[in-house]
Amino acid sequence: MASPLLQLQQLAVSYKVGRRTLDALRDVDLSIDAGQTYGLVGESGSGKSTLALAAMRYLPANGFIRSGSIMFGDKDLAKLSPEEMRARWGRQIGFVPQNPATALNPSVRVGDQIREALRLYSRDESDVMEILKQMRIADPARVARQYPHQLSGGMQQRMLISMALSGNPHLLVLDEPTTALDVTTEAAILDLLRGAQQMLNTAMLYVTHNLGVVATLTDRVAVLYAGELAEDAPTKELFRQPLHPYTRGLLDSVPRLGQRKDVNRLRGIVGQIPALGETIDACVFAPRCPLAIEICWQKRPTLDAPTPDRTVRCHRWPEIMAGDISPSRAVEKSSQVTKQAANQVLQVDGLQVAYKMPGGTLQAVRGVDVQATSGRTLGVVGESGSGKSSLARAVIGLVEPSEGKIDLLGIQLPKRLTRRNRVVLSHLQMVFQNPEEALNPHLTVGESLSRPLITLRGVKPADAKAQVGELLAAVRLPADYADRLPSQLSGGEKQRVAIARAFASQPELLLADEPVSALDVSVQAAILNLLADLQIEHQTSMLFIAHDIAVVGYLADEIAVMYLGQIMQTSPAETIFDAPYHPYTEALLSSVPPPDPFVKQERIRLEGELPSAVNPPNGCPFHTRCPRFLGDICVEQKPPWRETEDGKRIFCHIPLEDLLRDQTDVLQFEGAKKS
Amino acid sequence: MTAYILRRLAFLGLTMLLTSLLIFVITQLLPGDVCRVILGREVGENALEACRLDLGLDQPAPVRYFTWLGDFLTGNWGNSYSTDAEIRPLVMERLGNSLMLAGFTMLVGVPIAIGLGVIAALNEGKAIDNGISLGALAVVGLPEFVTGILLIEILAFRLGLPANSSIRETATFAEAFPSLILPALTATFVLLAYVARLTRAGVIEELKQAYVRTAELKGLPRRTVIWRHVLRNAMLPTITVVAISFGWLISGLVVIENVFNYPGLGRLMVFAISRRDLPLLQAISLITVLGFALANLVADLLYAALNPRIRIGS
Ligand SMILES: Nc1ncnc2c1ncn2[C@@H]1O[C@H](COP(=O)(O)OP(=O)(O)OP(=O)(O)O)[C@@H](O)[C@H]1O
Ligand code: SF4
Ligand code: SF4
Ligand SMILES: [Mg+2]
């Protein structure tokens, strides 16, 4: 077989911070063949970006290659001069970054930025139009004349990809290229990459924390943990039988489409990734590993090759491979579901939220009706700009709705927060997306938690301390955390404290706006389970907002799908993945990359861009992009609500019989259906 | 963009109108009787009365304001109280000298300053950077008369450049040039430090941006990355400051003009104040403010022209 295109051998990379030298990568061996798509996964801080940048010899100023080699063709990149590297950048190795908004020069037209690359690679400048067309851009001449800030995130990323491909590189390094994008946009970008890859036979090193992307796009995957290669295998084999307990933990942390909290709990991984430090003579994963035994603490495992085309760094892989032991964590005993009579907690009717803007009025929410009942979760999914956060903000009182009625326990809420009394405030609590901003940095955890106890529940300050301990225990944090400041907590721990604070006043309704999307998958799994347990215990009603339909499907009992300020479909969570669907739900489901390479997925892609909420389309809001568009009726008339027998409600002109006839299940599971 | 320019021009007009009002009110509120100042202490009441009539001081203030403004706009700036010379040619000549000095200072100072700033930024933390930063700091700390006198000491006496920069009225630029060097150098020092430090900060900030990485990883030569990508964005704040400082260079060089005896607007202003020469003072003030306002306008327009995010948005 031909020699690999890129081969990292015993690569070690360190960062100098002050006087200390921190090891970010240790003894990494990895090789990529020409034309291969190689995924690189791991939690935040595991060293993925460091590896990607090191492979291009473009480390931050304080980073350096301590030892090892980076063979690219027959040259060791680690030994090349900066000028020799420059001759390879763009022409042999292309790069696509994570955040397209900042990666383009803001004061140069995008067309000129691409032309600059073409000129550099001695190509014809007029190829720009051709290249943009290949990126499936409808109006390339106009787009080329635009400045980056005039384009959407998806368009900006297309510009960067076309630039990276214009030098016809042998290797494309992509660092989380779709993480900042919506799923429907992500799906389109992944299609483009697949197409380009087939046409140009470019090898790709694709860095991501999204196991779904890895499963659908890559040929091979490497799993990084704490700067070490834990495991490396062909994608299908890795998903079929992970040999490293960390890989197993990652797979057990993400809900598969259709996985439900009450049937099949996420197992996750305990603890968190260690801070950078020195190489220790033990397995780096031992503190979190359910299979750790004595030798794991005494000797660092070697990188073994169980089969010719996979490697793993674990003492116990032979037992795992033979099936003698299971690396899955035991499921935590969850609170028993006691079905109680559900009573209505929240009733929202005809809610509208509008924001005044320089260019007009942005209609964020346009007539939404939702209900939430005690002990149950209403999940709201939608892409950015669908109005899901505005809905939550109106309910909690952070924005004043322009129209509509919000009832809590049958009593209409004043729209303005200042008019709401203590009882209302204590019944309504919210958990936000970013745990970093949720807590007052100057208050200890104990102080943060006793405040709502004292002000909203009237607990005497003297008794608050004991109750703080109970709250901490409820979110599985040790009691001595009460004395810590937020800066001494990890992101996941902060989110636990925020959840404890929300439950302090024993709310009837908890609003959770993307509470897990800033967290690593292992932490996300733990938080989702925590929310589920607390809800069962307190019979709280929950409005859970997320962009990830698998996460919503896992936690919610009912699901509302939003698009451009309106609800397109509501459905029991159990049936959200079954046809018939609203055409938007169908597109959404076919865009989510399932974290399972054995799932077959329909491919439906949305054309065009999300219309402006300042001037939303008439009739059906989805008509400008709907793949099942019927014609004038969709443009002119508001669709009716159609109800299915299994409790779905669909906002569409297409009759249910037709939907049932034309749609098949978007996701086809191999073997037994669903988990 | 056209709408933006028109809006800015209208705004400029309004600013000037308000300023003229302010200048008028302040000069009217100055203590002392103008005619007594003009005619001296010994004259009788009759002569004073005649003078007041002559100057229209018996009219109500609003009428006097509009008469003054109208005269000014039609080019009739009147005569100086103290020398009786016509004001317009006098101010215009001094303005010309000031513009010459300001222009020359910018021509020499700005490229050097930007160059030093860029060099410092590209060598952040190294010896060159520290040298430039320290030098700039030292120069900013020194008052202009100290740098001026030092320069006279070093350059004028050793190299024979004229330390006295008075210019004959009829002098051509070539003749005036040697006189410009020392005051311009002194002014350059002040400008240099500001602009160099600003440029350095701007370039360092831009070098951290993600688009620089994109440009580098395209494989562009370092030169191109700096020139075409980094400088273009890093220069935005600098350009604004440079344009605004042109306004300051026209009228704010009082100290330097005095040290070198240079016949610019600043010195004329000091003269007008010391003689209570109101019409002269009013004319100089208006011209100076106009200079500032125009410099600001140019700064804003340049910024908008170079920054698509502003241009398209408005
Ligand atoms: N310039 C730097 N100086 C010091 N430490 C750094 C630097 N860059 C990264 N690190 C550290 O190196 C480790 C690996 O970081 P890296 O960015 O490669 O992780 P990652 O897997 O890409 O994480 P993420 O998913 O958050 O992007 C982290 O602990 C990080 O804090
Ligand atoms: S070596 Fe031991 S601790 Fe490390 S992953 Fe394997 S079993 Fe777990
Ligand atoms: S109403 Fe028409 S445009 Fe809207 S979803 Fe149904 S078919 Fe598509
Ligand atoms: Mg990263």
Side-chain angles (χ1 to χ4, degrees):
Chain A
M1 208 181 106
S3 65
L5 176 68
L6 177 79
Q7 192 167 24
L8 310 183
Q9 288 163 336
Q10 293 289 299
L11 184 69
V13 173
S14 302
Y15 289 110
K16 269 213 158 60
V17 179
R19 294 250 175 93
R20 299 182 57 198
T21 302
L22 304 174
D23 297 347
L25 289 179
R26 281 183 295 267
D27 312 329
V28 173
D29 288 298
L30 184 152
S31 79
I32 303 180
D33 293 334
Q36 196 173 39
T37 307
Y38 209 110
L40 189 60
V41 290
E43 288 173 283
S44 180
S46 55
K48 305 183 294 294
S49 299
T50 304
L51 193 152
L53 294 175
M56 294 182 293
R57 274 287 304 283
Y58 194 76
L59 284 168
N62 66 332
F64 61 98
I65 293 170
R66 207 172 65 251
S67 60
S69 60
I70 306 165
M71 298 304 296
F72 186 75
D74 54 357
K75 284 275 188 310
D76 181 2
L77 298 187
K79 296 205 174 75
L80 294 189
S81 72
E83 285 319 306
E84 286 171 309
M85 275 319 298
R86 210 174 279 278
R88 285 172 173 74
W89 289 336
R91 294 172 179 87
Q92 295 179 21
I93 307 178
F95 178 68
V96 180
Q98 167 163 11
N99 200 337
T102 55
L104 288 162
N105 188 333
S107 48
V108 180
R109 293 175 201 276
V110 289
D112 290 340
Q113 298 193 44
I114 299 174
R115 270 183 216 109
E116 179 182 46
L118 292 176
R119 225 177 305 128
L120 187 67
Y121 312 136
S122 321
R123 282 181 61 178
D124 205 333
E125 280 187 36
S126 54
D127 287 354
V128 169
M129 295 304 137
E130 198 48 44
I131 290 175
L132 290 184
K133 265 188 224 133
Q134 276 163 17
M135 287 289 124
R136 309 200 32 140
I137 284 165
D139 187 357
R142 188 183 57 85
V143 169
R145 265 183 275 112
Q146 309 240 280
Y147 289 94
H149 72 277
Q150 296 170 292
L151 302 176
S152 67
M155 290 290 254
Q156 290 169 339
Q157 196 58 291
R158 282 168 215 240
M159 298 300 134
L160 285 157
I161 291 173
S162 54
M163 226 184 279
L165 288 174
S166 63
N168 222 335
H170 306 302
L171 174 68
L172 195 60
V173 177
L174 307 99
D175 192 358
E176 311 246 13
T178 58
T179 304
L181 307 176
D182 272 322
V183 269
T184 53
T185 317
E186 172 178 74
I189 297 278
L190 293 182
D191 287 349
L192 280 177
L193 287 174
R194 253 182 233 117
Q197 210 256 358
Q198 272 161 20
M199 203 170 76
L200 306 169
N201 199 31
T202 316
M204 293 200 274
L205 176 60
Y206 193 105
V207 173
T208 177
H209 64 268
N210 186 333
L211 292 169
V213 171
V214 169
T216 49
L217 187 74
T218 63
D219 306 322
R220 245 188 115 79
V221 195
V223 181
L224 271 190
Y225 181 76
E228 292 190 358
L229 191 76
E231 179 165 15
D232 157 52
T235 306
K236 287 200 166 167
E237 279 183 45
L238 187 101
F239 278 84
R240 183 181 292 127
Q241 193 188 25
L243 293 182
H244 197 285
Y246 178 59
T247 315
R248 179 78 260 172
L250 284 180
L251 293 178
D252 285 349
S253 295
V254 288
R256 271 151 297 146
L257 294 169
Q259 186 175 350
R260 305 261 316 128
K261 61 180 174 187
D262 35 17
V263 182
N264 195 346
R265 274 291 167 101
L266 289 173
R267 292 157 193 266
I269 313 172
V270 287
Q272 64 201 65
I273 198 163
L276 290 190
E278 251 115 80
T279 315
I280 42 167
D281 212 13
C283 170
V284 277
F285 189 58
R288 303 176 75 185
C289 182
L291 295 181
I293 49 174
E294 217 176 320
I295 187 173
C296 306
W297 294 95
Q298 289 159 357
K299 196 165 155 274
R300 183 163 172 244
T302 49
L303 192 67
D304 298 340
T307 67
D309 64 353
R310 61 189 298 185
T311 57
V312 58
R313 193 186 281 279
C314 170
H315 289 302
R316 304 191 71 183
W317 69 260
E319 297 162 82
I320 296 171
M321 193 153 151
D324 297 342
I325 50 174
S326 159
S328 269
R329 208 159 71 88
V331 186
E332 265 175 29
K333 224 180 117 47
S334 63
S335 321
Q336 273 314 302
V337 187
T338 43
K339 282 269 185 247
Q340 293 185 6
N343 55 317
Q344 182 132 323
V345 174
L346 177 77
Q347 166 93 38
V348 174
D349 286 314
L351 187 79
Q352 301 204 9
V353 177
Y355 302 104
K356 289 259 177 304
M357 304 263 289
T361 307
L362 191 151
Q363 297 164 270
V365 179
R366 300 192 294 143
V368 161
D369 310 324
V370 289
Q371 296 88 33
T373 48
S374 61
R376 291 174 71 81
T377 299
L378 169 67
V380 180
V381 260
E383 296 180 280
S384 66
S386 60
K388 46 196 195 312
S389 290
S390 298
L391 166 65
R393 291 161 66 91
V395 172
I396 194 92
L398 288 175
V399 294
E400 218 175 299
S402 45
E403 207 72 52
K405 197 159 79 70
I406 304 169
D407 287 352
L408 187 70
L409 299 169
I411 300 162
Q412 191 170 348
L413 285 182
K415 286 181 182 167
R416 222 173 275 170
L417 190 61
T418 45
R419 297 252 182 82
R420 297 184 177 179
N421 60 26
R422 232 171 58 172
V423 180
V424 170
L425 293 181
S426 70
H427 282 337
L428 266 181
Q429 288 291 316
M430 186 151 176
V431 178
F432 295 91
Q433 171 170 8
N434 194 343
E436 306 302 321
E437 290 161 13
L439 301 175
N440 183 334
H442 305 296
L443 296 184
T444 63
V445 168
E447 287 163 342
S448 281
L449 293 181
S450 40
R451 273 200 178 175
L453 285 174
I454 296 166
T455 57
L456 294 178
R457 274 206 17 232
V459 172
K460 287 199 206 75
D463 303 336
K465 195 155 185 247
Q467 298 210 12
V468 164
E470 283 170 29
L471 283 172
L472 285 173
V475 294
R476 326 257 188 281
L477 287 176
D480 59 5
Y481 270 46
D483 301 324
R484 293 212 190 177
L485 285 169
S487 56
Q488 296 165 309
L489 304 178
S490 72
E493 288 170 340
K494 279 181 210 157
Q495 200 62 307
R496 280 168 199 262
V497 173
I499 290 171
R501 186 180 57 183
F503 273 96
S505 64
Q506 299 183 334
E508 294 288 340
L509 176 67
L510 181 72
L511 297 149
D513 189 0
E514 304 258 13
V516 293
S517 52
L519 305 172
D520 262 322
V521 284
S522 63
V523 185
Q524 171 178 320
I527 297 280
L528 289 176
N529 287 341
L530 177 67
L531 284 171
D533 286 345
L534 287 174
Q535 177 174 42
I536 292 168
E537 211 169 297
H538 298 279
Q539 285 299 304
T540 319
S541 170
M542 182 152 65
L543 188 72
F544 179 86
I545 293 172
H547 65 273
D548 184 338
I549 201 164
V551 165
V552 172
Y554 175 73
L555 196 68
D557 301 292
E558 268 88 35
I559 295 177
V561 180
M562 279 186 84
Y563 181 80
L564 216 57
Q566 283 178 287
I567 292 180
M568 297 291 109
Q569 167 177 353
T570 63
S571 136
E574 291 86 0
T575 55
I576 185 85
F577 300 100
D578 308 332
Y581 322 90
H582 185 278
Y584 175 63
T585 314
E586 190 184 15
L588 201 59
L589 286 173
S590 85
S591 300
V592 188
D596 182 345
F598 304 101
V599 168
K600 282 207 193 63
Q601 189 176 27
E602 288 281 312
R603 195 192 262 178
I604 300 161
R605 296 291 179 255
L606 296 185
E607 299 287 334
E609 304 258 319
L610 186 73
S612 149
V614 175
N615 256 322
N618 288 330
C620 171
F622 190 48
H623 81 242
T624 56
R625 304 168 80 194
C626 179
R628 296 192 182 275
F629 180 68
L630 287 181
D632 290 346
I633 185 170
C634 300
V635 181
E636 287 154 11
Q637 287 176 35
K638 210 174 139 175
W641 279 103
R642 302 180 186 276
E643 225 158 300
T644 67
E645 278 161 22
D646 56 358
K648 280 185 198 157
R649 300 181 74 233
I650 295 173
F651 187 63
C652 179
H653 284 297
I654 305 178
L656 289 173
E657 309 82 72
D658 295 3
L659 278 178
L660 262 175
R661 187 194 57 225
D662 297 342
Q663 293 177 333
T664 46
D665 283 358
V666 169
L667 298 149
Q668 308 279 332
F669 297 83
E670 207 173 72
K673 196 179 173 226
K674 290 177 201 169
S675 48
Chain B
M1 188 74 183
T2 329
Y4 177 69
I5 296 178
L6 287 179
R7 216 171 42 237
R8 291 306 315 246
L9 279 176
F11 188 68
L12 179 87
L14 198 69
T15 317
M16 289 314 298
L17 202 67
L18 281 177
T19 322
S20 69
L21 192 64
L22 207 65
I23 290 173
F24 181 78
V25 169
I26 291 175
T27 47
Q28 292 305 308
L29 289 180
L30 283 179
D33 185 329
V34 183
C35 281
R36 215 176 258 299
V37 175
I38 297 172
L39 300 175
R41 286 185 191 287
E42 269 80 67
V43 292
E45 265 308 309
N46 284 350
L48 279 177
E49 203 50 47
C51 162
R52 285 183 194 131
L53 264 183
D54 194 30
L55 295 182
L57 293 184
D58 54 333
Q59 307 272 347
V63 176
R64 274 187 284 144
Y65 168 67
F66 284 110
T67 321
W68 170 69
L69 193 65
D71 282 351
F72 195 89
L73 288 179
T74 51
N76 179 10
W77 296 10
N79 288 24
S80 153
Y81 288 172
S82 51
T83 64
D84 209 31
E86 241 191 285
I87 291 179
R88 203 153 67 102
L90 180 63
V91 170
M92 283 308 180
E93 185 207 325
R94 295 300 189 93
L95 179 65
N97 288 344
S98 279
L99 282 175
M100 201 150 70
L101 179 57
F104 186 59
T105 306
M106 299 267 278
L107 221 60
V108 179
V110 171
I112 297 179
I114 290 179
L116 285 177
V118 172
I119 292 172
L122 294 183
N123 295 287
E124 192 193 349
K126 295 189 195 148
I128 313 178
D129 176 31
N130 293 337
I132 293 175
S133 299
L134 271 179
L137 214 61
V139 176
V140 164
L142 285 182
E144 290 121 287
F145 65 87
V146 179
T147 19
I149 290 169
L150 279 177
L151 282 178
I152 292 180
E153 276 298 323
I154 300 167
L155 293 182
F157 295 151
R158 306 259 158 90
L159 301 182
L161 281 171
N164 185 326
S165 304
S166 48
I167 304 173
R168 269 183 300 115
E169 246 172 77
T170 52
T172 61
F173 183 77
E175 288 171 314
F177 180 73
S179 320
L180 278 175
I181 295 179
L182 280 184
L185 267 185
T186 315
T188 297
F189 270 115
V190 183
L191 195 70
L192 195 71
Y194 275 123
V195 175
R197 279 153 50 100
L198 199 71
T199 306
R200 175 181 179 274
V203 171
I204 287 178
E205 187 51 40
E206 288 306 315
L207 280 174
K208 289 188 206 136
Q209 302 303 312
Y211 70 81
V212 178
R213 177 169 72 181
T214 309
E216 293 253 36
L217 290 178
K218 262 185 195 175
L220 290 171
R222 182 82 180 156
R223 220 172 38 250
T224 318
V225 174
I226 301 294
W227 275 106
R228 206 178 299 154
H229 291 275
V230 176
L231 281 187
R232 190 170 187 145
N233 293 294
M235 280 299 95
L236 284 175
T238 311
I239 284 169
T240 320
V241 164
V242 165
I244 291 175
S245 61
F246 193 73
W248 169 77
L249 282 174
I250 293 172
S251 60
L253 296 182
V254 181
V255 177
I256 293 179
E257 288 177 14
N258 269 310
V259 169
F260 293 100
N261 204 12
Y262 184 84
L265 261 189
R267 267 184 67 214
L268 190 63
M269 168 114 77
V270 175
F271 173 81
I273 291 173
S274 64
R275 298 292 173 90
R276 286 185 184 283
D277 198 333
L278 289 191
L280 185 57
L281 191 57
Q282 284 171 334
I284 297 172
S285 310
L286 262 184
I287 287 297
T288 310
V289 173
L290 184 66
F292 263 106
L294 281 176
N296 258 309
L297 177 72
V298 171
D300 284 357
L301 291 183
L302 264 178
Y303 191 82
L306 293 172
N307 190 346
R309 275 162 296 185
I310 294 209
R311 195 187 331 152
I312 316 279
S314 56

